[in-house]
Amino acid sequence: MKYILITLLVFFSNSLFAQLSVGQLKTENLIDPVGIDLKEPRFNWQLISEKRNVLQTAYEIKVFNNKKEIWTSGKKNSDQSIWVKYKGAPLKSNQRYHWQVRVWDNHGNISAWSKLAFFHTAFLNKNDWKARWIEPGFQEEKERPSPIFRKEFNTGKKIKKATAFISAHGLYEAYLNGNKIGDAYFTPGWTSYNKRLQYQVYDVTSLIKSGQNVIGAILGNGWYRGELVWKNNRDIYGSDIAFIFQLEIEYKNGKKEKIISDNTWKSSIGEIQFSEFYHGEIIDARKEKAGWLNPNYDDKNWMGVKEVKHNMDVLLATYNEPIKKQELIKPIKIIKSPNNETILDFGQNLVGWVMVKASGQSGDKIILTHSEVLDKNGNFYRDNIRYARQQNTYILKGGETEVFEPHFTWQGFRYIRVDEFPGEIKKENFTAVALHSDIRPAGEFLTSDSLINQLQSNIRWGQKGNFLDVPLDCPQRDERLGWTGDAQAFSRTAMFNYDVHNFFAKWLRDLEADQQPSGSVPYVIPQVMRKKDAGSAGWADAATIVPWNLFLAYGDTLVLTQQYKSMKKWVDFMLSKSNNYLWNTGFHFGDWQSFRVDDDEHGRSAFTDKYFISQCFMAYSTQLLVNAAGVLGNTQDVKQYSHLLQQIKEAFLNEYITPNGATISNTQTSYVLALQFDMLPEALRQTAADRLVKNIRAYNNHLTTGFLGTPYLCHVLTRFGYPEVAFELLAQKTYPSWLYPITMGATTMWERWNGIKPDSTFVSPRANSFNHYAYGAIGDWMYRAVAGIDQEADTPAYKRSIIKPYINSNFKHVSASLQTVYGKLASSWKIANGRLSLDVVIPANTSAYVYIPTESKGDVTADGTLISDSKDLKVAGEEEGFIIVNVGSGNYHFAVNLH
């Protein structure tokens, strides 16, 4: 009898656990991060259950150090499963902590304890640093070849753990016993170096050995002192190049040892003779110091190093994902151009470099020059690259087959021109390596229309190629800067395609650091331009727009807390530049790259008054500040800035709107911004929307918006009853439109709507990037309206979603998904035989309102049952053209006849 009871108990327990489990454990939104310097790191997890309507009712967390429990939350009656703070004993530097969680749900289930996750702390106190900054001990040459450093050391036996802490002025690659430490590139990344310099933490236990070891490092100029902001502008942060390294070894007998950078190291020059982001790299393999990364190498002819005092207070651990190698792409063809150039086509505009394999004699040379496009005759074209050479040169040492790739540069390209190659040029000897920040894919979007699918591909490739530690504007010409306008316009689309929480959170700290005392925000972050290059409407508003979008997407209130002062300073700056609440002073870029007559033989320019735009963004940023103040409980600021917002809108109406609702500019962007930011009273809004559509019709159903109007254009049309016009714009194939570049062969987004004209000639090369993600902001609307994945504004992180697809006959099917912090959220619809099917996935611990496109609820079925008879959902109401259904977590299949 006892055996039967035990068996039943085990069966019952296993059944409970089988219905509920926990996965996707993250610390600070990273899986098992190494190098966390927060004293109260935060935990995220996801509930996994096949049941419907699953909500967490309680959780319990345990944290361990060296298998000893150091904190338990106890059972907490809460549905919170994201951003749960550690509240245990003070954490220690350079320690690995493991944690696990279990949860209870609303069906009486208890999960088993999750698998162990971990986080490894960085230095929690600045005096943990014992290492010294070191610089090369020799006089640098004019071309600044990359210095190399080395240090040999001896260890005892039975090593338990070894951890390396590394940073540089410039860029570094570090090695231990010939093995590269980590798989990241362009470390320590790009920040406002004089205020915030990141260091990386690596577990190098597997690389170290008992006995003789050697540390090696190569440095590059990078963003710190390399050429930036166009021609001959170097040493923005300093002219020095320096390295700091601390290796902490723990032996199994409990003893500890530190190996640090100091004056006992040696320095020299290796094979990298020249390295710049804009211009490329020159590697002379004949000058390689063979064996220098191995122990027992004879470095007696090397120079020493200089110990120097650099600011240690600016050092901080790294939270954003580093840049890593991603896709490998082989050329699709070899072209012999009319100019007798040998050109390789990789079929995709990408960012990274080309790895080349060759054999030849000592002194043979390979020159690879990179470009995005060919001219109309098929010749190599690089005028739009401007001053940047984008060229890698490799000089062979001779003999065996050699493989070359750069270290401290990248190129933006689809094509390479190959010069002076020894022997026959074969496709198999060239491989393009795509590089970008190692952000995790979050969303997928697919339709029955191949051109729209290519548009989505172009948006994603544009994002990948320009997300290299900061959100760049373009990756190829002599610019490659963190333009704030591009970043804010694209930020919400970026959050659909990839998990960019840490990426943007880090960038925003630099925005705050580089914000001027007046509150003005520079055009680019990190700030590397002139002091006066700041304060443009729609650009500087990244200070408010990006934090708010991050909060909406991920529910992280810490981002708002950290950025709140910066948000407020920006709004106060605009107010300080206003006259009676009208901001009509200063320089503004306006609706950058909007339609102009000089772009086409016919039509009218679509110029929107720049102060009209500045007033709209002043209102929007003020509204977002009010929103943030509300989330953070700052009631006084809510009251103060709500009153300010009212005055800003009144000034706008008096200055820019006629009594019958026309804008003074009468452009698409003017109506879009006025409607998107609720600048107009209710009575004038529909009239303004009608005027917007009239304007679109006047341009033959084409858009004319630029960087600031385009992100909101289709949203406004959909909101005010014109979704079919939005779909017409999306499907438009002639200039200006989203699909026109695709008809001209684009594989990324363009800076200009007509970068290549219909006759295959180019517009001015002054500003004509073929990898510029700003216009990819249409992706936000594609996810939210075409597929229908959206959220309630007062429930961030998709805690309560809205599934509201707008059905259009241009598509037979549309599907999209998004990996939210709670799990996978998905919407998929198709039309067949006059019937619409809608499949929805709602993650556990969340709920959703599903909008079924019909006016007859008696015709809607859920999983084959009339919705009125379903036990798992509830009809919540009706909206024009939709039946609204309230559902909990789970998978649902809806169907309805189309009328």
Side-chain angles (χ1 to χ4, degrees):
M1 184 67 179
K2 183 178 179 182
Y3 173 79
I4 295 173
L5 288 174
I6 292 174
T7 302
L8 288 173
L9 180 61
V10 171
F11 174 78
F12 180 68
S13 299
N14 287 341
S15 296
L16 284 177
F17 291 154
Q19 294 182 52
L20 182 66
S21 60
V22 186
Q24 285 294 302
L25 275 64
K26 296 179 183 177
T27 307
E28 289 300 318
N29 200 40
L30 296 168
I31 296 173
D32 297 338
V34 176
I36 295 288
D37 65 3
L38 281 180
K39 295 181 179 180
E40 291 183 331
R42 298 166 300 162
F43 305 126
N44 290 17
W45 60 86
Q46 294 177 6
L47 277 65
I48 302 168
S49 176
E50 294 182 359
K51 288 180 66 69
R52 285 182 172 178
N53 300 309
V54 173
L55 295 171
Q56 177 183 296
T57 59
Y59 68 83
E60 182 177 10
I61 301 172
K62 288 184 178 181
V63 178
F64 307 88
N65 180 226
N66 291 323
K67 299 183 180 179
K68 179 183 177 182
E69 182 180 307
I70 63 166
W71 178 62
T72 176
S73 66
K75 183 180 179 181
K76 294 289 186 182
N77 294 321
S78 169
D79 68 346
Q80 185 179 359
S81 58
I82 61 173
W83 312 116
V84 178
K85 275 188 179 182
Y86 169 78
K87 288 294 184 181
L91 300 174
K92 297 177 181 179
S93 296
N94 190 22
Q95 293 290 308
R96 179 156 298 191
Y97 294 89
H98 289 84
W99 68 280
Q100 60 184 169
V101 61
R102 64 173 174 172
V103 299
W104 288 256
D105 74 9
N106 55 327
H107 297 289
N109 298 309
I110 309 171
S111 76
W113 284 101
S114 68
K115 293 181 179 179
L116 286 172
F118 74 82
F119 62 95
H120 193 121
T121 53
F123 288 150
L124 302 180
N125 301 288
K126 63 180 182 181
N127 58 9
D128 289 327
W129 279 104
K130 305 302 179 186
R132 311 285 198 275
W133 282 101
I134 58 173
E135 294 179 2
F138 51 82
Q139 185 68 36
E140 283 198 287
E141 300 173 15
K142 181 180 179 181
E143 292 299 309
R144 290 177 165 179
S146 287
I148 57 178
F149 298 89
R150 74 185 308 271
K151 164 74 175 180
E152 292 201 32
F153 64 98
N154 202 284
T155 61
K157 297 180 179 179
K158 296 184 179 179
I159 296 165
K160 179 181 178 182
K161 184 180 73 171
T163 311
F165 302 77
I166 315 175
S167 191
H169 285 179
L171 306 177
Y172 74 84
E173 286 183 2
Y175 297 82
L176 186 51
N177 296 322
N179 299 296
K180 187 174 185 291
I181 297 176
D183 56 357
Y185 290 86
F186 310 139
T187 47
W190 190 9
T191 52
S192 180
Y193 292 126
N194 297 333
K195 303 162 190 170
R196 291 166 30 84
L197 174 58
Q198 296 184 143
Y199 64 89
Q200 285 72 47
V201 183
Y202 305 93
D203 181 347
V204 295
T205 309
S206 63
L207 303 183
I208 201 167
K209 59 188 180 182
S210 298
Q212 197 70 6
N213 293 264
V214 62
I215 305 160
I218 313 172
L219 302 190
N221 296 324
W223 298 285
Y224 182 83
R225 69 170 194 174
E227 193 161 354
L228 276 180
V229 198
W230 307 297
K231 190 174 183 178
N232 294 327
N233 191 19
R234 298 181 174 88
D235 300 341
I236 290 176
Y237 297 99
S239 60
D240 65 293
I241 193 164
F243 182 62
I244 191 167
F245 178 96
Q246 185 159 320
L247 175 64
E248 302 209 343
I249 304 169
E250 183 179 344
Y251 295 98
K252 290 185 178 179
N253 63 8
K255 290 185 177 180
K256 296 181 179 180
E257 184 179 8
K258 290 181 174 64
I259 308 298
I260 63 171
S261 50
D262 58 16
N263 60 15
T264 65
W265 288 51
K266 292 290 195 73
S267 65
S268 186
I269 295 172
E271 67 269 27
I272 304 175
Q273 298 298 295
F274 174 86
S275 182
E276 291 278 354
F277 279 142
Y278 290 167
H279 302 308
E281 206 156 275
I282 299 173
I283 296 179
D284 188 343
R286 298 171 302 178
K287 297 184 178 182
E288 178 188 3
K289 301 286 194 295
W292 73 279
L293 290 172
N294 300 321
N296 302 312
Y297 168 82
D298 184 2
D299 60 11
K300 65 183 179 183
N301 292 324
W302 286 39
M303 298 293 291
V305 299
K306 295 181 291 185
E307 280 190 16
V308 289
K309 290 186 177 180
H310 290 306
N311 190 354
M312 302 294 288
D313 292 338
V314 299
L315 288 168
L316 66 148
T318 304
Y319 288 89
N320 61 307
E321 297 83 354
I323 297 168
K324 294 185 179 182
K325 289 183 176 180
Q326 307 292 337
E327 298 88 349
L328 301 179
I329 300 174
K330 301 298 291 186
I332 59 173
K333 59 183 173 181
I334 299 175
I335 301 167
K336 205 69 173 179
S337 76
N339 287 343
N340 200 34
E341 305 156 311
T342 302
I343 302 169
L344 271 64
D345 178 6
F346 289 90
Q348 172 65 54
N349 196 356
L350 62 101
V351 176
W353 58 58
V354 173
M355 188 163 53
V356 59
K357 185 166 59 175
S359 300
Q361 298 180 359
S362 178
D364 282 349
K365 188 180 292 186
I366 302 168
I367 302 174
L368 305 183
T369 309
H370 303 70
S371 78
E372 297 184 288
V373 291
L374 304 180
D375 69 17
K376 65 180 298 181
N377 298 315
N379 292 311
F380 200 68
Y381 178 84
R382 58 182 318 279
D383 290 357
N384 70 310
I385 308 298
R386 304 190 309 212
Y387 175 64
R389 290 202 297 271
Q390 278 223 126
Q391 186 178 86
N392 295 327
T393 300
Y394 306 118
I395 302 171
L396 279 65
K397 62 183 173 185
E400 60 190 28
T401 298
E402 300 174 61
V403 177
F404 293 96
E405 61 182 330
H407 296 256
F408 303 118
T409 189
W410 81 78
Q411 289 82 40
F413 66 99
R414 172 175 171 169
Y415 303 92
I416 62 169
R417 186 182 67 213
V418 184
D419 295 305
E420 300 188 42
F421 189 87
E424 183 183 357
I425 295 175
K426 299 178 180 179
K427 289 188 291 185
E428 58 263 32
N429 291 333
F430 298 84
T431 304
V433 180
L435 295 163
H436 62 76
S437 288
D438 199 31
I439 46 181
R440 293 182 297 272
E444 297 290 342
F445 181 89
L446 184 68
T447 77
S448 55
D449 188 317
S450 60
L451 287 178
I452 299 299
N453 294 341
Q454 184 63 50
L455 173 61
Q456 169 65 5
S457 174
N458 290 8
I459 293 170
R460 290 179 72 97
W461 273 101
Q463 180 174 351
K464 290 188 293 186
N466 284 291
F467 276 41
L468 281 92
D469 210 59
V470 303
L472 306 175
D473 60 324
C474 60
Q476 74 297 90
R477 67 188 181 211
D478 53 341
E479 196 164 350
R480 311 184 191 192
L481 304 175
W483 283 92
T484 49
D486 305 51
Q488 70 82 9
F490 186 71
S491 60
R492 192 146 188 186
T493 297
M495 293 167 199
F496 274 110
N497 289 329
Y498 288 89
D499 182 347
V500 292
H501 171 274
N502 296 55
F503 177 88
F504 271 124
K506 167 257 186 184
W507 183 72
L508 285 171
R509 300 315 304 270
D510 287 300
L511 185 150
E512 178 194 30
D514 283 340
Q515 190 170 8
Q516 296 179 2
S518 65
S520 186
V521 177
Y523 301 156
V524 300
I525 298 295
Q527 161 67 318
V528 289
M529 298 174 74
R530 299 166 300 183
K531 182 179 179 181
K532 70 176 186 177
D533 294 329
S536 174
W539 269 249
D541 297 276
T544 56
I545 294 171
V546 178
W548 184 251
N549 283 346
L550 275 178
F551 171 69
L552 287 180
Y554 305 106
D556 182 5
T557 56
L558 181 60
V559 169
L560 293 183
T561 301
Q562 290 174 333
Q563 299 302 132
Y564 186 76
K565 183 179 178 181
S566 168
M567 297 172 76
K568 191 173 178 178
K569 282 176 63 178
W570 168 239
V571 172
D572 288 346
F573 171 82
M574 289 186 282
L575 180 61
S576 73
K577 298 299 179 183
S578 302
N579 302 302
N580 294 320
Y581 307 103
L582 196 67
W583 187 21
N584 56 3
T585 61
F587 170 81
H588 303 280
F589 289 105
D591 194 28
W592 188 253
Q593 299 293 8
S594 61
F595 177 84
R596 298 194 301 270
V597 168
D598 59 5
D599 284 342
D600 201 64
E601 299 85 28
H602 58 275
R604 317 181 298 281
S605 290
F607 176 79
T608 305
D609 183 272
K610 293 181 179 182
Y611 294 138
F612 177 106
I613 293 172
S614 67
Q615 192 74 3
C616 287
F617 275 93
M618 183 182 181
Y620 186 40
S621 279
T622 304
Q623 179 66 71
L624 296 182
L625 180 62
V626 170
N627 294 352
V631 171
L632 300 177
N634 193 333
T635 54
Q636 180 58 40
D637 278 359
V638 169
K639 182 178 179 180
Q640 176 184 340
Y641 287 95
S642 293
H643 179 64
L644 172 62
L645 179 60
Q646 182 180 350
Q647 293 169 309
I648 292 169
K649 290 184 177 181
E650 287 177 1
F652 172 82
L653 287 173
N654 292 335
E655 186 77 7
Y656 298 115
I657 305 299
T658 67
N660 64 352
T663 67
I664 62 163
S665 293
N666 196 34
T667 61
Q668 291 175 23
T669 289
S670 68
Y671 290 112
V672 165
L673 296 183
L675 289 167
Q676 178 69 22
F677 299 154
D678 295 331
M679 303 297 291
L680 303 174
E682 290 278 0
L684 293 180
R685 292 179 184 177
Q686 193 57 53
T687 301
D690 297 341
R691 292 178 184 275
L692 169 62
V693 173
K694 183 179 179 181
N695 186 292
I696 293 169
R697 299 303 188 207
Y699 280 94
N700 258 343
N701 299 325
H702 289 81
L703 53 76
T704 61
T705 49
F707 278 26
L708 298 184
T710 298
Y712 308 113
L713 174 60
C714 288
H715 284 298
V716 166
L717 290 168
T718 304
R719 174 184 170 189
F720 289 97
Y722 288 106
E724 73 280 1
V725 179
F727 278 100
E728 287 177 29
L729 291 178
L730 181 66
Q732 182 63 256
K733 297 181 183 66
T734 55
Y735 161 78
S737 68
W738 285 286
L739 298 186
Y740 167 73
I742 294 172
T743 68
M744 300 301 292
T747 60
T748 43
M749 304 304 297
W750 290 356
E751 180 178 15
R752 293 174 177 258
W753 292 118
N754 65 335
I756 302 176
K757 297 180 181 180
D759 65 357
S760 295
T761 60
F762 301 106
V763 296
S764 167
R766 186 178 64 85
N768 193 22
S769 160
F770 295 102
N771 192 352
H772 222 90
Y773 57 70
Y775 285 141
I778 184 61
D780 172 40
W781 181 78
M782 287 159 57
Y783 274 101
R784 293 167 65 192
V786 180
I789 296 177
D790 209 342
Q791 65 187 121
E792 286 202 330
D794 60 347
T795 54
Y798 301 88
K799 178 69 170 173
R800 186 161 63 244
S801 308
I802 292 175
I803 304 296
K804 188 178 182 181
Y806 285 84
I807 309 303
N808 187 272
S809 59
N810 288 344
F811 302 102
K812 294 179 181 178
H813 63 79
V814 171
S815 62
S817 64
L818 176 66
Q819 293 292 340
T820 73
V821 289
Y822 291 102
K824 182 179 179 179
L825 176 65
S827 171
S828 175
W829 59 264
K830 65 179 179 179
I831 300 172
N833 301 319
R835 192 162 175 80
L836 170 70
S837 297
L838 173 62
D839 291 288
V840 174
V841 179
I842 310 299
N845 207 25
T846 74
S847 61
Y849 288 111
V850 180
Y851 286 63
I852 314 292
T854 183
E855 296 181 351
S856 174
K857 66 181 178 182
D859 193 30
V860 181
T861 62
D863 304 311
T865 302
L866 289 173
I867 57 172
S868 55
D869 298 332
S870 176
K871 298 178 181 179
D872 293 326
L873 48 83
K874 177 183 177 183
V875 177
E878 299 180 15
E879 188 179 287
E880 185 176 355
F882 294 94
I883 300 295
I884 307 170
V885 180
N886 188 6
V887 302
S889 65
N891 297 359
Y892 299 89
H893 174 78
F894 299 97
V896 62
N897 290 322
L898 296 175
H899 300 288

